């Protein structure tokens, strides 16, 4: 549903669905019920200023009945944010697409404590592109190629590519060169297929019994020495007295949450600096010197506008692999 309010400071207006009935006479009564304990004066001020609107951009006031609107829109008060000390690079831009090289630690879209400090909001503000929309997402801890639509008129053509799985993605990661004790040896390349699930109430994705819904092809590209376990935070290599790491190419054929991290951990090859898999570590402040060693290296597809095959590749490097080459 189209918002009647424009993007402001790079952020979309928030949409709220009002209940059909209840113990509230007005829309403001309902908002006070939801958020009055946080900022009652702010809610009243928004209604008085006409900053809360219904469909068509009709302003609401304190007396607007609950039943008069199904959806309303308003701008949230954004808390101050500490800037994440990373920069996002632009790989390509035209009238239809923008391709960015997203760094580690920067989320793709606003959420939780990250609003202004997201790739989407940064780019909207930096380039004055309020209509910018991501075509897919990367985890906050994953770096690499990220596609955005710049043109609402052609956006649907690119969305169809993702819906029909006509986009090929390639990732790289750094993990232990050999599986951790208790896991069998792996002959590469290998295809991991299983059934994954993730609930809203559970932080981690899980492998469960049932028809496979997640598939990844994994190839080992090289191996290299990386010092001692004290130098490398790798779940899959912590038990090794001398750390030997590997660089891997990952080609997912599906797109489940945390799929690559789960599939590598299932082989006993937990990705370096992964705080979730195979073992959930205590939450700690971001250590910008130890990013998750997972990178969206490339993406390719047949462009629906030009009809020509295109490929975009990240210029970033995983620091564990770069250190080994130095």
């Amino acid at each position: 549903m189209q918002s009647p309010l424009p993007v402001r400071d790079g952020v979309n207006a928030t949409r709220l669905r009002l209940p059909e009935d209840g113990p509230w006479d007005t829309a403001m009564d309902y908002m006070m019920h939801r958020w009055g304990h946080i900022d009652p004066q702010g809610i009243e001020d928004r209604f008085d200023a006409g900053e809360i609107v219904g469909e068509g951009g009709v302003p609401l006031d304190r007396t607007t009945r609950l039943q008069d609107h199904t959806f309303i829109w308003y701008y949230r008060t954004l808390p101050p944010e500490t800037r994440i000390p990373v920069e996002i690079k632009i790989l390509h831009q035209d009238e239809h697409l923008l391709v960015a090289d997203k760094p580690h630690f920067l989320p793709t879209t606003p959420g939780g404590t990250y609003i202004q400090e997201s790739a989407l909001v940064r780019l909207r503000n930096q380039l004055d592109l309020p209509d910018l929309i991501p075509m897919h997402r990367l985890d906050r801890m994953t770096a690499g190629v990220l596609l955005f639509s710049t043109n609402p008129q052609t956006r649907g053509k690119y969305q169809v590519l993702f819906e029909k799985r006509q986009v090929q993605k390639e990732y790289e990661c750094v993990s232990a060169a050999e599986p951790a004790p208790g896991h069998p040896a792996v002959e590469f390349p290998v295809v991991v297929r299983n059934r994954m699930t993730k609930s809203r109430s559970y932080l981690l994705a899980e492998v469960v019994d049932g028809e496979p819904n997640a598939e990844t092809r994994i190839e080992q590209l090289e191996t290299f020495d990386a010092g001692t376990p004290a130098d490398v935070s790798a779940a899959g290599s912590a038990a090794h007295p001398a750390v030997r790491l590997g660089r891997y190419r990952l080609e997912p054929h599906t797109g489940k949450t945390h799929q690559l991290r789960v599939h590598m951990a299932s082989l006993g090859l937990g990705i370096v600096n992964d705080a979730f898999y195979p073992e959930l570590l205590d939450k700690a402040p971001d250590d910008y010197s130890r990013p998750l060693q997972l990178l969206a290296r490339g993406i390719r597809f047949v462009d629906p506008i030009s009809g020509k095959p295109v490929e975009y590749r990240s210029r970033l490097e995983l620091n564990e692999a770069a250190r080994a080459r130095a």
Side-chain angles (χ1 to χ4, degrees):
M1 181 178 292
Q2 182 80 21
S3 171
L5 293 176
V7 170
R8 187 168 78 178
D9 296 328
V11 181
N12 295 86
T14 296
R15 186 183 74 177
L16 174 67
R17 185 186 183 101
L18 298 178
E20 295 181 3
D21 52 38
W24 313 283
D25 294 327
T26 67
M28 192 178 83
D29 289 340
Y30 179 67
M31 289 196 73
M32 284 293 192
H33 165 74
R34 291 285 300 269
W35 297 290
H37 63 290
I38 299 174
D39 184 19
Q41 188 61 54
I43 293 173
E44 292 179 350
D45 291 345
R46 282 190 176 91
F47 276 99
D48 291 342
E51 293 182 352
I52 298 177
V53 306
E55 293 183 40
V58 177
L60 281 62
D61 59 34
R62 295 189 186 209
T63 65
T64 301
R65 297 185 311 158
L66 181 73
Q67 294 81 8
D68 288 352
H69 294 273
T70 302
F71 293 99
I72 61 175
W73 287 262
Y74 61 95
Y75 295 112
R76 289 175 291 174
T77 299
L78 302 180
E81 296 179 54
T82 301
R83 184 173 176 83
I84 299 173
V86 295
E87 300 300 329
I88 187 168
K89 304 295 184 183
I90 297 172
L91 299 172
H92 170 83
Q93 184 177 355
D94 60 34
E95 61 181 311
H96 306 291
L97 283 182
L98 183 145
V99 185
D101 222 354
K102 187 188 84 66
H104 295 100
F105 302 103
L106 192 68
T108 297
T109 56
T113 59
Y114 304 99
I115 307 298
Q116 295 290 330
E117 286 304 288
S118 63
L120 175 61
V121 175
R122 276 200 190 182
L123 288 170
R124 278 178 171 177
N125 289 332
Q126 175 185 331
L127 303 173
D128 192 22
L129 291 174
D131 286 328
L132 198 68
I133 294 293
M135 292 290 89
H136 60 116
R137 284 173 171 77
L138 294 177
D139 288 346
R140 187 171 80 89
M141 293 304 190
T142 303
V145 177
L146 186 58
L147 263 64
F148 295 83
S149 163
T150 60
N151 188 335
Q153 279 67 51
T154 59
R155 184 166 297 152
K157 296 180 182 295
Y158 293 95
Q159 288 172 330
V160 167
L161 295 180
F162 286 90
E163 291 168 2
K164 293 186 175 181
R165 296 184 182 177
Q166 294 176 345
V167 176
Q168 289 74 50
K169 300 176 184 178
E170 176 189 338
Y171 289 74
E172 284 183 18
C173 76
V174 173
S175 301
E178 298 289 342
H183 292 266
V186 180
E187 184 175 341
F188 294 103
V190 63
V191 174
V192 178
R193 300 179 71 244
N194 53 30
R195 184 167 190 84
M196 291 179 53
T197 184
K198 186 178 185 296
S199 71
R200 292 182 180 272
S201 60
Y202 188 62
L203 181 64
L204 304 182
E206 296 180 283
V207 175
V208 297
D209 293 335
E211 183 69 21
N213 63 358
E215 179 177 325
T216 307
R217 181 183 184 275
I218 302 170
E219 178 183 356
Q220 190 178 73
L221 299 176
E222 62 175 332
T223 63
F224 52 89
D225 291 324
T228 67
D231 301 321
V232 180
S233 174
S237 63
H240 294 256
V243 177
R244 187 162 180 79
L245 298 180
R247 185 168 63 92
Y248 298 84
R249 176 185 293 124
L250 313 175
E251 296 175 327
H253 295 166
T254 52
K256 296 298 180 182
T257 300
H258 293 175
Q259 175 178 318
L260 302 179
R261 297 161 73 171
V262 170
H263 281 180
M264 289 300 292
S266 73
L267 299 176
L269 299 169
I271 297 175
V272 171
N273 300 331
D274 192 343
F276 282 16
Y277 306 97
E279 180 182 354
L280 179 62
L281 305 180
D282 291 337
K283 183 173 176 57
D286 288 339
D287 182 346
Y288 299 110
S289 69
R290 291 178 177 268
L292 175 71
Q293 295 297 280
L294 179 61
L295 173 68
R297 171 59 72 193
I299 191 167
R300 62 185 185 276
F301 53 89
V302 175
D303 189 282
I305 306 299
S306 69
K308 298 178 180 179
V310 294
E311 182 173 11
Y312 303 104
R313 296 189 68 79
S314 173
R315 296 171 187 165
L316 299 172
E317 293 293 337
L318 296 171
N319 59 6
E320 290 293 346
R323 241 195 310 267
R325 297 190 191 103

